[in-house]
């Protein structure tokens, strides 16, 4: 997709400093309010408007960016009724509330940074594409893994030809047992619908990486998986409904999960947003509940096989049953093999001809291994007219098509 020319608000003018990019945040939760708003401000943009339904959270995030009351909104229709009052918008609302505000933004000509998953129905993908094609604005999906130093290093190896003909990709999304319990048993993504299925909510990033490295669109998807453990029949005898009242030894004890992590970082900040104490949140909300109450329905282990149009096959396993929270992969080529571990930033390339092994380490600091900051930097560069959009929307949506196909396959379709 063609890049945007520099606009009046955000582009370069001869002999002048570039104007500051003005961005509105629609959805002030962890991603919108804590990640993107913070990074945009750090990288020189101005956060000018905020939409957030929860009044305490609205005040908290608006206060960080000195957003006056007249630029704070409880719902997105009220904000878009103003017309185009900023250069771009970030849409980071709940999963089932992405499409409508994105269409409203495009109708006004906004450039959009759209949190994944972009929608919960496959039919909405074409609606988004059509809306973008009719708009002066462009949509960038928040596929942050493409912006990490680690996966950029992997892509560089593929592009160099050192592996020869790429034949297969094996990628594992190690969710970590505590992370799965936080987000997919107790958290916002535990029930689909309204949240996205597990493979779409958690691993659409990984499917996008497969699409990127394979270099072709998907043509076939097969998948197996299900909810294996976090079910009422797995509940230990004597377990209480709330972890604060429980004396049973359990690896998913909320006291253990949150007590072992920094109070000023994710995921603890999710529980204490708005000023509530950790203990009060565990006592009164879902984050202190026993994981075996049966209030979740998304898969906890799933395997996906993708065939791409150029013959490359990709295999993805996403699982709750891992001790670490990272991605590991192998790339299989005619002349070499690459092995990688994301949280260490390590790639290991085996050359079949020479027998040599080359190990490289890259920086892995920051959220998503530096991907959040890299994504925001690339998006801002495109808004300033310095580059094209980071990835064309049509290519980004292939990851979602794979997720929808995988879920249909997993359910027997």
């Amino acid at each position: 997709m063609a890049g945007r020319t520099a606009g009046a608000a955000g582009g370069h003018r001869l002999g002048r400093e570039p104007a500051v990019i003005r961005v509105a945040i629609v959805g002030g939760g962890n991603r919108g309010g804590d990640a993107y708003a913070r990074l945009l401000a750090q990288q020189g943009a101005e956060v000018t408007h905020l939409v957030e339904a929860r009044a305490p959270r609205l005040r908290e995030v608006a206060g960080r960016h000195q957003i006056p009351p007249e630029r704070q909104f409880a719902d997105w229709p009220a904000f878009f009724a103003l017309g185009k009052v900023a250069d771009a918008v970030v849409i980071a609302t709940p999963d089932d509330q992405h499409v409508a505000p994105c269409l409203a933004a495009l109708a006004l000509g906004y450039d959009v940074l759209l949190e994944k998953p972009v929608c919960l129905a496959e039919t909405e993908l074409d609606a988004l594409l059509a809306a973008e094609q009719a708009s002066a604005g462009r949509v960038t999906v928040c596929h942050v893994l493409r912006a990490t130093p680690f996966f950029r290093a992997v892509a560089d190896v593929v592009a160099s030809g050192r592996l020869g003909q790429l034949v297969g990709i094996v990628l594992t999304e190690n969710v970590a047992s505590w992370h799965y319990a936080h987000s997919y048993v107790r958290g916002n993504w535990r029930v689909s619908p309204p949240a996205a299925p597990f493979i779409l909510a958690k691993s659409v990033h990984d499917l996008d990486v497969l699409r990127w490295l394979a270099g072709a669109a998907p043509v076939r998807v097969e998948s197996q998986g299900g909810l294996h453990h976090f079910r009422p029949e797995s509940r230990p005898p004597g377990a209480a409904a709330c972890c604060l009242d429980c004396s049973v030894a359990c690896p998913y004890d909320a006291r253990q999960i949150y007590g072992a992590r920094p109070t000023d970082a994710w995921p603890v900040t999710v529980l204490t947003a708005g000023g509530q104490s950790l203990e009060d949140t565990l006592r009164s909300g879902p984050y202190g509940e026993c994981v075996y109450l049966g209030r979740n329905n998304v898969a906890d282990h799933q395997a996906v096989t993708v065939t791409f149009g150029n013959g490359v096959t990709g295999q993805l396993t996403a699982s709750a049953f891992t001790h670490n929270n990272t991605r590991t992969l192998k790339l299989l080529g005619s002349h070499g093999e690459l092995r990688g571990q994301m949280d260490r930033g390590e790639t290991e390339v085996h050359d079949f001809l020479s027998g040599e092994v080359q190990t490289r380490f890259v920086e892995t600091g920051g959220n998503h291994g530096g991907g959040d900051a890299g994504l925001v930097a690339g998006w801002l560069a495109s808004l300033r007219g310095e580059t094209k959009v980071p990835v064309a929307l049509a290519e980004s949506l292939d990851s979602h098509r794979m997720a929808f196909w995988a879920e249909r396959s997993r359910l027997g379709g």
Side-chain angles (χ1 to χ4, degrees):
M1 188 172 290
R4 303 288 308 286
T5 57
H12 290 279
R13 297 181 180 88
L14 187 62
R16 300 183 186 179
E17 289 295 320
V20 173
I21 300 294
R22 301 166 301 161
V23 182
I25 305 292
V26 180
N30 175 254
R31 296 303 292 160
D34 294 336
Y36 299 126
R38 175 180 57 83
L39 288 166
L40 284 163
Q42 288 178 354
Q43 296 186 25
E46 180 184 1
V47 178
T48 59
H49 299 74
L50 177 64
V51 180
E52 170 54 46
R54 298 165 296 173
R57 180 66 172 171
L58 178 64
R59 292 191 297 270
E60 177 188 353
V61 178
R64 296 179 200 166
H65 299 279
Q66 295 80 53
I67 301 172
E70 64 269 20
R71 294 182 180 180
Q72 301 175 28
F73 303 87
D75 58 78
W76 59 263
F79 165 67
F80 287 120
L82 299 177
K84 190 176 182 185
V85 293
D87 298 302
V89 298
V90 173
I91 295 177
T93 45
D95 288 356
D96 61 338
Q97 300 170 37
H98 287 171
V99 176
C102 186
L103 295 178
L106 289 171
L108 291 171
Y110 275 113
D111 287 290
V112 180
L113 185 65
L114 181 59
E115 184 59 284
K116 60 82 186 170
V118 302
C119 61
L120 299 187
E122 189 175 353
T123 55
E124 293 177 314
L125 298 176
D126 290 334
L128 284 168
L129 278 172
E132 189 200 46
Q133 290 167 1
S135 173
R138 292 292 175 262
V139 178
T140 297
V141 178
C142 295
H143 283 320
V144 297
L145 293 186
R146 289 198 185 216
T148 63
F150 172 76
F151 278 109
R152 287 186 178 277
V154 172
D156 286 345
V157 172
V158 175
S160 73
R162 293 167 60 195
L163 300 182
Q165 177 188 357
L166 183 63
V167 175
I169 307 167
V170 181
L171 177 59
T172 302
E173 162 73 286
N174 303 280
V175 181
S177 58
W178 64 266
H179 183 179
Y180 184 89
H182 167 76
S183 296
Y184 302 97
V185 180
R186 295 171 170 134
N188 293 338
W189 296 273
R190 63 179 175 172
V191 177
S192 175
F198 176 57
I199 198 67
L200 180 60
K202 186 69 181 93
S203 294
V204 73
H205 284 315
D206 304 275
L207 294 169
D208 180 61
V209 166
L210 293 181
R211 166 67 173 88
W212 177 31
L213 298 178
V219 295
R220 180 180 176 84
V221 173
E222 302 166 79
S223 183
Q224 297 288 330
L227 180 57
H228 294 79
H229 179 70
F230 297 94
R231 307 162 64 97
E233 53 266 39
S234 300
R235 186 174 180 178
C242 177
C243 290
L244 297 183
D245 301 324
C246 194
S247 59
V248 174
C250 174
Y252 305 104
D253 188 330
R255 294 168 295 189
Q256 175 179 310
I257 289 175
Y258 300 111
R261 286 170 173 80
T263 58
D264 60 348
W266 185 90
V268 178
T269 51
V270 174
L271 280 67
T272 56
Q276 193 171 16
S277 73
L278 177 60
E279 183 172 354
D280 287 345
T281 301
L282 294 180
R283 174 63 67 186
S284 61
Y287 292 104
E289 291 178 349
C290 176
V291 295
Y292 302 108
L293 296 183
R295 295 174 180 169
N296 55 296
N297 67 1
V298 297
D300 53 21
H301 182 88
Q302 188 166 352
V304 181
T305 300
V306 183
T307 304
F308 293 95
N310 57 3
V312 174
T313 60
Q315 295 170 296
L316 168 67
T317 299
S319 183
F321 307 109
T322 64
H323 72 279
N324 54 2
N325 185 24
T326 189
R327 275 123 175 145
T328 54
L329 82 160
K330 290 197 297 184
L331 271 61
L332 312 174
S334 61
H335 286 60
E337 175 189 7
L338 181 149
R339 299 184 179 190
Q341 215 272 16
M342 182 178 171
D343 70 345
R344 292 201 302 263
E346 180 183 10
T347 56
E348 183 182 277
V349 178
H350 295 252
D351 187 303
F352 297 162
L353 180 62
S354 67
E356 294 179 352
V357 179
Q358 183 180 57
T359 302
R360 179 186 176 191
F361 292 88
V362 297
E363 177 62 44
T364 61
N367 290 343
H368 290 111
D372 286 5
L375 173 74
V376 169
W379 187 55
L380 286 177
S382 72
L383 295 179
R384 291 190 293 264
E386 299 167 1
T387 65
K388 296 180 180 180
V389 293
V391 183
L393 179 61
E395 181 175 335
S396 288
L397 295 187
D398 278 345
S399 61
H400 289 66
R401 296 188 196 281
M402 285 186 273
F404 288 124
W405 298 350
E407 191 65 0
R408 287 210 302 273
S409 176
R410 182 181 75 84
L411 296 174

